[in-house]
Amino acid sequence: LLDRFKLEQYILKLHLRTENSIIFTDFSPQLNSKILTIGSKIYSDNEIVGYMFISTMISPITPTINILKQQLIYITIILICIGLLVSFFMSKSIVKPICTITKSADKLASGSYRVKFDGGKFDETQKLANTLNYASTEISKVDELQRDLIANVSHDLRTPLTMLKAYAEMIRDLSGDNPKKRLEHLNIIIDETDRLALLVNDMLDLSKLENGSVPLNISEFYITDILNDIIDKYKGLSKSMGYNIHFSADENVLVNCDLGKIEQVIFNLINNAINYTGDDKQVYVKQIND
């Protein structure tokens, strides 16, 4: 940075001064910049043995500040663009599972209970999806229970209603003038009405049906006697509609169960046999002890 002439001048000035170091400033036309030089004397045994000079250019501060400002503006714009891009892709990745869950929820609302919810990679949306999957399963169970209940109600109520109608028609058409037969048919109608009331009470107790805690009223009775009583109720119906019910039984045995429930089962089985017996209208009921 210093030419030989300038350096000799600095050495002379430093030699003539009493200070050990001097700061020189000068302008270099070749470098178009100020030059800052620090000169120091070098001693050995209190004698000057040499001189040391350190020089550097002094650049103007304003251009540097301007450059830093421009770089800061560029960096800020780049960071904002990067932030917007990252935010866009992050929002897309977050919104996508929510949109998927919303579409699945619409399907669930329309009655498609087998729909599966997918929460994607995020814990929060996955927890939401798991909760909705559980809700979908429970709603499906309730819907299935409702359909089963309607089917069971219609099936179980059909038999006593058929008996009531049949014996009411027989009283109107056949036994109206026969006190003994009329009383027999009326008793059957009363018995079927009582059984119908019991069935309705069972169906109305939905809470017990839902949690599977329908109580059983256990008692002991002879099953063959119950079968004979049930088949006797079908005799009048068999005569009027042309059905022949044949009953054969093993030895009469004592059973331990719910009388109302087992009668409901037997009535349903016989009623199904009558409905699907075919043109010969022959129904066979067998009690087999195992």
Side-chain angles (χ1 to χ4, degrees), residues 246-282:
H246 308 277
F247 175 53
S248 59
D250 288 349
E251 180 185 358
N252 199 0
V253 291
L254 190 68
V255 297
N256 187 38
C257 65
D258 188 313
L259 176 59
K261 297 293 188 296
I262 199 66
E263 282 185 337
Q264 185 177 343
V265 172
I266 296 170
F267 270 108
N268 282 336
L269 290 172
I270 296 176
N271 198 53
N272 285 343
I274 291 174
N275 290 334
Y276 301 102
T277 186
D279 296 333
D280 61 353
K281 295 187 177 182
Q282 303 298 316

mmCIF file of all heavy atoms in Angstrom, residues 246-282:
data_model
loop_
_atom_site.group_PDB
_atom_site.id
_atom_site.type_symbol
_atom_site.label_atom_id
_atom_site.label_comp_id
_atom_site.label_asym_id
_atom_site.label_seq_id
_atom_site.Cartn_x
_atom_site.Cartn_y
_atom_site.Cartn_z
ATOM 1 N N HIS A 246 -99.344 -82.675 12.932
ATOM 2 C CA HIS A 246 -99.082 -83.986 13.527
ATOM 3 C C HIS A 246 -98.042 -83.810 14.620
ATOM 4 O O HIS A 246 -96.960 -83.280 14.378
ATOM 5 C CB HIS A 246 -98.568 -84.958 12.456
ATOM 6 C CG HIS A 246 -99.447 -85.028 11.247
ATOM 7 N ND1 HIS A 246 -100.568 -85.811 11.180
ATOM 8 C CD2 HIS A 246 -99.372 -84.389 10.042
ATOM 9 C CE1 HIS A 246 -101.142 -85.680 9.998
ATOM 10 N NE2 HIS A 246 -100.440 -84.800 9.277
ATOM 11 N N PHE A 247 -98.369 -84.309 15.813
ATOM 12 C CA PHE A 247 -97.463 -84.134 16.949
ATOM 13 C C PHE A 247 -97.074 -85.488 17.521
ATOM 14 O O PHE A 247 -97.936 -86.334 17.792
ATOM 15 C CB PHE A 247 -98.145 -83.290 18.040
ATOM 16 C CG PHE A 247 -97.324 -83.158 19.291
ATOM 17 C CD1 PHE A 247 -96.007 -82.710 19.251
ATOM 18 C CD2 PHE A 247 -97.862 -83.500 20.533
ATOM 19 C CE1 PHE A 247 -95.256 -82.580 20.403
ATOM 20 C CE2 PHE A 247 -97.109 -83.369 21.682
ATOM 21 C CZ PHE A 247 -95.801 -82.915 21.619
ATOM 22 N N SER A 248 -95.769 -85.688 17.671
ATOM 23 C CA SER A 248 -95.264 -86.900 18.315
ATOM 24 C C SER A 248 -94.203 -86.477 19.329
ATOM 25 O O SER A 248 -93.424 -85.561 19.071
ATOM 26 C CB SER A 248 -94.647 -87.859 17.286
ATOM 27 O OG SER A 248 -93.572 -87.235 16.592
ATOM 28 N N ALA A 249 -94.186 -87.156 20.482
ATOM 29 C CA ALA A 249 -93.304 -86.722 21.570
ATOM 30 C C ALA A 249 -92.657 -87.919 22.230
ATOM 31 O O ALA A 249 -93.248 -88.996 22.326
ATOM 32 C CB ALA A 249 -94.085 -85.912 22.599
ATOM 33 N N ASP A 250 -91.428 -87.726 22.657
ATOM 34 C CA ASP A 250 -90.787 -88.705 23.539
ATOM 35 C C ASP A 250 -91.407 -88.581 24.929
ATOM 36 O O ASP A 250 -92.396 -87.871 25.131
ATOM 37 C CB ASP A 250 -89.283 -88.436 23.593
ATOM 38 C CG ASP A 250 -88.586 -88.827 22.293
ATOM 39 O OD1 ASP A 250 -89.228 -89.489 21.452
ATOM 40 O OD2 ASP A 250 -87.409 -88.454 22.112
ATOM 41 N N GLU A 251 -90.794 -89.217 25.886
ATOM 42 C CA GLU A 251 -91.304 -89.186 27.249
ATOM 43 C C GLU A 251 -91.381 -87.751 27.760
ATOM 44 O O GLU A 251 -90.501 -86.938 27.496
ATOM 45 C CB GLU A 251 -90.382 -90.026 28.149
ATOM 46 C CG GLU A 251 -90.829 -90.065 29.609
ATOM 47 C CD GLU A 251 -89.828 -90.811 30.477
ATOM 48 O OE1 GLU A 251 -88.828 -91.320 29.930
ATOM 49 O OE2 GLU A 251 -90.050 -90.862 31.693
ATOM 50 N N ASN A 252 -92.454 -87.440 28.451
ATOM 51 C CA ASN A 252 -92.637 -86.110 29.016
ATOM 52 C C ASN A 252 -91.528 -85.832 30.047
ATOM 53 O O ASN A 252 -91.317 -86.624 30.952
ATOM 54 C CB ASN A 252 -94.016 -86.005 29.669
ATOM 55 C CG ASN A 252 -94.434 -84.557 29.856
ATOM 56 O OD1 ASN A 252 -93.702 -83.637 29.496
ATOM 57 N ND2 ASN A 252 -95.626 -84.354 30.413
ATOM 58 N N VAL A 253 -90.826 -84.718 29.877
ATOM 59 C CA VAL A 253 -89.696 -84.407 30.757
ATOM 60 C C VAL A 253 -89.903 -83.044 31.400
ATOM 61 O O VAL A 253 -90.542 -82.146 30.840
ATOM 62 C CB VAL A 253 -88.360 -84.426 29.982
ATOM 63 C CG1 VAL A 253 -88.004 -85.825 29.556
ATOM 64 C CG2 VAL A 253 -88.411 -83.496 28.791
ATOM 65 N N LEU A 254 -89.299 -82.904 32.579
ATOM 66 C CA LEU A 254 -89.355 -81.650 33.321
ATOM 67 C C LEU A 254 -88.200 -80.770 32.858
ATOM 68 O O LEU A 254 -87.043 -81.198 32.870
ATOM 69 C CB LEU A 254 -89.256 -81.924 34.819
ATOM 70 C CG LEU A 254 -89.545 -80.741 35.767
ATOM 71 C CD1 LEU A 254 -91.011 -80.354 35.677
ATOM 72 C CD2 LEU A 254 -89.189 -81.133 37.206
ATOM 73 N N VAL A 255 -88.521 -79.560 32.448
ATOM 74 C CA VAL A 255 -87.488 -78.638 31.967
ATOM 75 C C VAL A 255 -87.416 -77.427 32.891
ATOM 76 O O VAL A 255 -88.375 -77.125 33.610
ATOM 77 C CB VAL A 255 -87.758 -78.182 30.512
ATOM 78 C CG1 VAL A 255 -87.708 -79.358 29.564
ATOM 79 C CG2 VAL A 255 -89.087 -77.459 30.409
ATOM 80 N N ASN A 256 -86.303 -76.755 32.842
ATOM 81 C CA ASN A 256 -86.050 -75.587 33.687
ATOM 82 C C ASN A 256 -85.673 -74.415 32.778
ATOM 83 O O ASN A 256 -84.533 -74.299 32.344
ATOM 84 C CB ASN A 256 -84.912 -75.897 34.666
ATOM 85 C CG ASN A 256 -84.711 -74.779 35.680
ATOM 86 O OD1 ASN A 256 -85.666 -74.177 36.141
ATOM 87 N ND2 ASN A 256 -83.472 -74.517 36.026
ATOM 88 N N CYS A 257 -86.629 -73.537 32.459
ATOM 89 C CA CYS A 257 -86.368 -72.418 31.552
ATOM 90 C C CYS A 257 -87.458 -71.365 31.698
ATOM 91 O O CYS A 257 -88.333 -71.472 32.564
ATOM 92 C CB CYS A 257 -86.265 -72.905 30.099
ATOM 93 S SG CYS A 257 -87.787 -73.599 29.443
ATOM 94 N N ASP A 258 -87.405 -70.352 30.840
ATOM 95 C CA ASP A 258 -88.392 -69.264 30.836
ATOM 96 C C ASP A 258 -89.587 -69.716 30.008
ATOM 97 O O ASP A 258 -89.474 -69.911 28.794
ATOM 98 C CB ASP A 258 -87.762 -68.002 30.246
ATOM 99 C CG ASP A 258 -88.663 -66.782 30.400
ATOM 100 O OD1 ASP A 258 -89.869 -66.891 30.098
ATOM 101 O OD2 ASP A 258 -88.163 -65.722 30.798
ATOM 102 N N LEU A 259 -90.738 -69.864 30.638
ATOM 103 C CA LEU A 259 -91.920 -70.381 29.960
ATOM 104 C C LEU A 259 -92.359 -69.465 28.822
ATOM 105 O O LEU A 259 -92.645 -69.921 27.707
ATOM 106 C CB LEU A 259 -93.066 -70.562 30.968
ATOM 107 C CG LEU A 259 -94.412 -71.013 30.380
ATOM 108 C CD1 LEU A 259 -94.274 -72.347 29.660
ATOM 109 C CD2 LEU A 259 -95.472 -71.091 31.483
ATOM 110 N N GLY A 260 -92.419 -68.170 29.084
ATOM 111 C CA GLY A 260 -92.862 -67.234 28.048
ATOM 112 C C GLY A 260 -91.945 -67.233 26.837
ATOM 113 O O GLY A 260 -92.403 -67.216 25.685
ATOM 114 N N LYS A 261 -90.619 -67.295 27.086
ATOM 115 C CA LYS A 261 -89.656 -67.259 25.970
ATOM 116 C C LYS A 261 -89.706 -68.547 25.153
ATOM 117 O O LYS A 261 -89.661 -68.513 23.916
ATOM 118 C CB LYS A 261 -88.238 -67.030 26.512
ATOM 119 C CG LYS A 261 -88.035 -65.701 27.227
ATOM 120 C CD LYS A 261 -88.151 -64.540 26.258
ATOM 121 C CE LYS A 261 -87.741 -63.227 26.931
ATOM 122 N NZ LYS A 261 -88.635 -62.845 28.044
ATOM 123 N N ILE A 262 -89.825 -69.704 25.829
ATOM 124 C CA ILE A 262 -89.832 -70.966 25.085
ATOM 125 C C ILE A 262 -91.142 -71.114 24.303
ATOM 126 O O ILE A 262 -91.162 -71.666 23.194
ATOM 127 C CB ILE A 262 -89.587 -72.165 26.031
ATOM 128 C CG1 ILE A 262 -89.118 -73.390 25.236
ATOM 129 C CG2 ILE A 262 -90.837 -72.508 26.841
ATOM 130 C CD1 ILE A 262 -87.774 -73.208 24.597
ATOM 131 N N GLU A 263 -92.243 -70.588 24.855
ATOM 132 C CA GLU A 263 -93.498 -70.594 24.093
ATOM 133 C C GLU A 263 -93.372 -69.724 22.845
ATOM 134 O O GLU A 263 -93.865 -70.073 21.769
ATOM 135 C CB GLU A 263 -94.650 -70.092 24.982
ATOM 136 C CG GLU A 263 -95.173 -71.118 25.958
ATOM 137 C CD GLU A 263 -96.387 -70.606 26.720
ATOM 138 O OE1 GLU A 263 -96.534 -69.356 26.806
ATOM 139 O OE2 GLU A 263 -97.174 -71.416 27.198
ATOM 140 N N GLN A 264 -92.701 -68.580 23.005
ATOM 141 C CA GLN A 264 -92.489 -67.695 21.858
ATOM 142 C C GLN A 264 -91.704 -68.401 20.764
ATOM 143 O O GLN A 264 -92.017 -68.294 19.567
ATOM 144 C CB GLN A 264 -91.737 -66.442 22.333
ATOM 145 C CG GLN A 264 -91.539 -65.373 21.283
ATOM 146 C CD GLN A 264 -90.855 -64.149 21.866
ATOM 147 O OE1 GLN A 264 -90.810 -63.967 23.076
ATOM 148 N NE2 GLN A 264 -90.312 -63.326 20.999
ATOM 149 N N VAL A 265 -90.674 -69.158 21.158
ATOM 150 C CA VAL A 265 -89.879 -69.914 20.182
ATOM 151 C C VAL A 265 -90.741 -70.965 19.488
ATOM 152 O O VAL A 265 -90.711 -71.110 18.254
ATOM 153 C CB VAL A 265 -88.669 -70.568 20.889
ATOM 154 C CG1 VAL A 265 -87.947 -71.507 19.934
ATOM 155 C CG2 VAL A 265 -87.707 -69.504 21.405
ATOM 156 N N ILE A 266 -91.506 -71.727 20.265
ATOM 157 C CA ILE A 266 -92.319 -72.818 19.674
ATOM 158 C C ILE A 266 -93.381 -72.245 18.749
ATOM 159 O O ILE A 266 -93.623 -72.773 17.638
ATOM 160 C CB ILE A 266 -92.946 -73.668 20.803
ATOM 161 C CG1 ILE A 266 -91.838 -74.352 21.620
ATOM 162 C CG2 ILE A 266 -93.896 -74.707 20.226
ATOM 163 C CD1 ILE A 266 -92.321 -75.002 22.894
ATOM 164 N N PHE A 267 -94.041 -71.174 19.171
ATOM 165 C CA PHE A 267 -95.043 -70.545 18.300
ATOM 166 C C PHE A 267 -94.413 -70.097 16.976
ATOM 167 O O PHE A 267 -94.995 -70.277 15.899
ATOM 168 C CB PHE A 267 -95.681 -69.348 19.015
ATOM 169 C CG PHE A 267 -96.903 -69.685 19.822
ATOM 170 C CD1 PHE A 267 -96.864 -69.676 21.202
ATOM 171 C CD2 PHE A 267 -98.091 -70.014 19.185
ATOM 172 C CE1 PHE A 267 -97.995 -69.991 21.946
ATOM 173 C CE2 PHE A 267 -99.228 -70.317 19.919
ATOM 174 C CZ PHE A 267 -99.177 -70.321 21.311
ATOM 175 N N ASN A 268 -93.232 -69.492 17.061
ATOM 176 C CA ASN A 268 -92.565 -69.035 15.834
ATOM 177 C C ASN A 268 -92.225 -70.200 14.917
ATOM 178 O O ASN A 268 -92.386 -70.115 13.687
ATOM 179 C CB ASN A 268 -91.294 -68.256 16.180
ATOM 180 C CG ASN A 268 -91.600 -66.835 16.642
ATOM 181 O OD1 ASN A 268 -92.646 -66.285 16.305
ATOM 182 N ND2 ASN A 268 -90.702 -66.264 17.411
ATOM 183 N N LEU A 269 -91.740 -71.289 15.491
ATOM 184 C CA LEU A 269 -91.376 -72.458 14.673
ATOM 185 C C LEU A 269 -92.604 -73.057 13.985
ATOM 186 O O LEU A 269 -92.570 -73.370 12.784
ATOM 187 C CB LEU A 269 -90.689 -73.516 15.548
ATOM 188 C CG LEU A 269 -89.286 -73.157 16.056
ATOM 189 C CD1 LEU A 269 -88.798 -74.202 17.055
ATOM 190 C CD2 LEU A 269 -88.315 -73.044 14.898
ATOM 191 N N ILE A 270 -93.692 -73.200 14.740
ATOM 192 C CA ILE A 270 -94.908 -73.774 14.137
ATOM 193 C C ILE A 270 -95.493 -72.821 13.104
ATOM 194 O O ILE A 270 -95.943 -73.238 12.028
ATOM 195 C CB ILE A 270 -95.943 -74.101 15.240
ATOM 196 C CG1 ILE A 270 -95.388 -75.185 16.169
ATOM 197 C CG2 ILE A 270 -97.267 -74.546 14.629
ATOM 198 C CD1 ILE A 270 -96.295 -75.520 17.340
ATOM 199 N N ASN A 271 -95.489 -71.551 13.413
ATOM 200 C CA ASN A 271 -96.022 -70.571 12.466
ATOM 201 C C ASN A 271 -95.204 -70.564 11.174
ATOM 202 O O ASN A 271 -95.760 -70.469 10.070
ATOM 203 C CB ASN A 271 -96.021 -69.189 13.103
ATOM 204 C CG ASN A 271 -96.939 -68.212 12.387
ATOM 205 O OD1 ASN A 271 -98.111 -68.498 12.180
ATOM 206 N ND2 ASN A 271 -96.404 -67.082 11.980
ATOM 207 N N ASN A 272 -93.875 -70.664 11.280
ATOM 208 C CA ASN A 272 -93.034 -70.757 10.083
ATOM 209 C C ASN A 272 -93.356 -72.014 9.286
ATOM 210 O O ASN A 272 -93.388 -71.990 8.044
ATOM 211 C CB ASN A 272 -91.555 -70.754 10.477
ATOM 212 C CG ASN A 272 -91.068 -69.382 10.897
ATOM 213 O OD1 ASN A 272 -91.705 -68.373 10.613
ATOM 214 N ND2 ASN A 272 -89.955 -69.343 11.602
ATOM 215 N N ALA A 273 -93.560 -73.121 9.997
ATOM 216 C CA ALA A 273 -93.889 -74.374 9.308
ATOM 217 C C ALA A 273 -95.214 -74.251 8.548
ATOM 218 O O ALA A 273 -95.342 -74.734 7.415
ATOM 219 C CB ALA A 273 -93.960 -75.511 10.320
ATOM 220 N N ILE A 274 -96.192 -73.582 9.157
ATOM 221 C CA ILE A 274 -97.485 -73.391 8.482
ATOM 222 C C ILE A 274 -97.323 -72.499 7.251
ATOM 223 O O ILE A 274 -97.893 -72.777 6.187
ATOM 224 C CB ILE A 274 -98.509 -72.803 9.474
ATOM 225 C CG1 ILE A 274 -98.862 -73.828 10.538
ATOM 226 C CG2 ILE A 274 -99.766 -72.323 8.737
ATOM 227 C CD1 ILE A 274 -99.759 -73.291 11.636
ATOM 228 N N ASN A 275 -96.518 -71.453 7.375
ATOM 229 C CA ASN A 275 -96.356 -70.514 6.260
ATOM 230 C C ASN A 275 -95.603 -71.128 5.082
ATOM 231 O O ASN A 275 -95.844 -70.757 3.928
ATOM 232 C CB ASN A 275 -95.604 -69.269 6.737
ATOM 233 C CG ASN A 275 -96.453 -68.408 7.671
ATOM 234 O OD1 ASN A 275 -97.675 -68.445 7.604
ATOM 235 N ND2 ASN A 275 -95.798 -67.669 8.547
ATOM 236 N N TYR A 276 -94.715 -72.086 5.344
ATOM 237 C CA TYR A 276 -93.870 -72.622 4.268
ATOM 238 C C TYR A 276 -94.050 -74.123 4.067
ATOM 239 O O TYR A 276 -93.182 -74.788 3.522
ATOM 240 C CB TYR A 276 -92.389 -72.334 4.590
ATOM 241 C CG TYR A 276 -92.089 -70.870 4.739
ATOM 242 C CD1 TYR A 276 -91.945 -70.296 5.996
ATOM 243 C CD2 TYR A 276 -91.986 -70.053 3.615
ATOM 244 C CE1 TYR A 276 -91.696 -68.935 6.135
ATOM 245 C CE2 TYR A 276 -91.731 -68.695 3.751
ATOM 246 C CZ TYR A 276 -91.581 -68.150 5.012
ATOM 247 O OH TYR A 276 -91.331 -66.809 5.142
ATOM 248 N N THR A 277 -95.193 -74.682 4.492
ATOM 249 C CA THR A 277 -95.367 -76.128 4.413
ATOM 250 C C THR A 277 -95.626 -76.622 2.993
ATOM 251 O O THR A 277 -95.375 -77.765 2.679
ATOM 252 C CB THR A 277 -96.519 -76.575 5.334
ATOM 253 O OG1 THR A 277 -96.578 -77.989 5.351
ATOM 254 C CG2 THR A 277 -97.847 -76.025 4.822
ATOM 255 N N GLY A 278 -96.137 -75.772 2.132
ATOM 256 C CA GLY A 278 -96.422 -76.209 0.766
ATOM 257 C C GLY A 278 -97.901 -76.520 0.564
ATOM 258 O O GLY A 278 -98.756 -76.273 1.420
ATOM 259 N N ASP A 279 -98.202 -77.137 -0.591
ATOM 260 C CA ASP A 279 -99.609 -77.367 -0.946
ATOM 261 C C ASP A 279 -100.252 -78.489 -0.139
ATOM 262 O O ASP A 279 -101.479 -78.521 0.017
ATOM 263 C CB ASP A 279 -99.712 -77.700 -2.446
ATOM 264 C CG ASP A 279 -99.277 -76.522 -3.318
ATOM 265 O OD1 ASP A 279 -99.398 -75.376 -2.836
ATOM 266 O OD2 ASP A 279 -98.824 -76.757 -4.459
ATOM 267 N N ASP A 280 -99.449 -79.425 0.395
ATOM 268 C CA ASP A 280 -100.067 -80.535 1.135
ATOM 269 C C ASP A 280 -100.557 -80.117 2.505
ATOM 270 O O ASP A 280 -101.398 -80.794 3.111
ATOM 271 C CB ASP A 280 -99.084 -81.691 1.260
ATOM 272 C CG ASP A 280 -97.814 -81.294 2.013
ATOM 273 O OD1 ASP A 280 -97.650 -80.096 2.320
ATOM 274 O OD2 ASP A 280 -96.987 -82.182 2.286
ATOM 275 N N LYS A 281 -100.049 -78.999 3.034
ATOM 276 C CA LYS A 281 -100.489 -78.424 4.313
ATOM 277 C C LYS A 281 -100.347 -79.411 5.474
ATOM 278 O O LYS A 281 -101.162 -79.457 6.383
ATOM 279 C CB LYS A 281 -101.938 -77.930 4.220
ATOM 280 C CG LYS A 281 -102.109 -76.766 3.246
ATOM 281 C CD LYS A 281 -103.501 -76.184 3.297
ATOM 282 C CE LYS A 281 -103.626 -74.980 2.368
ATOM 283 N NZ LYS A 281 -104.965 -74.365 2.438
ATOM 284 N N GLN A 282 -99.272 -80.217 5.413
ATOM 285 C CA GLN A 282 -98.967 -81.160 6.494
ATOM 286 C C GLN A 282 -97.809 -80.605 7.320
ATOM 287 O O GLN A 282 -96.727 -80.336 6.796
ATOM 288 C CB GLN A 282 -98.599 -82.536 5.922
ATOM 289 C CG GLN A 282 -99.667 -83.152 5.037
ATOM 290 C CD GLN A 282 -100.961 -83.414 5.778
ATOM 291 O OE1 GLN A 282 -100.937 -83.917 6.923
ATOM 292 N NE2 GLN A 282 -102.073 -83.082 5.157
#
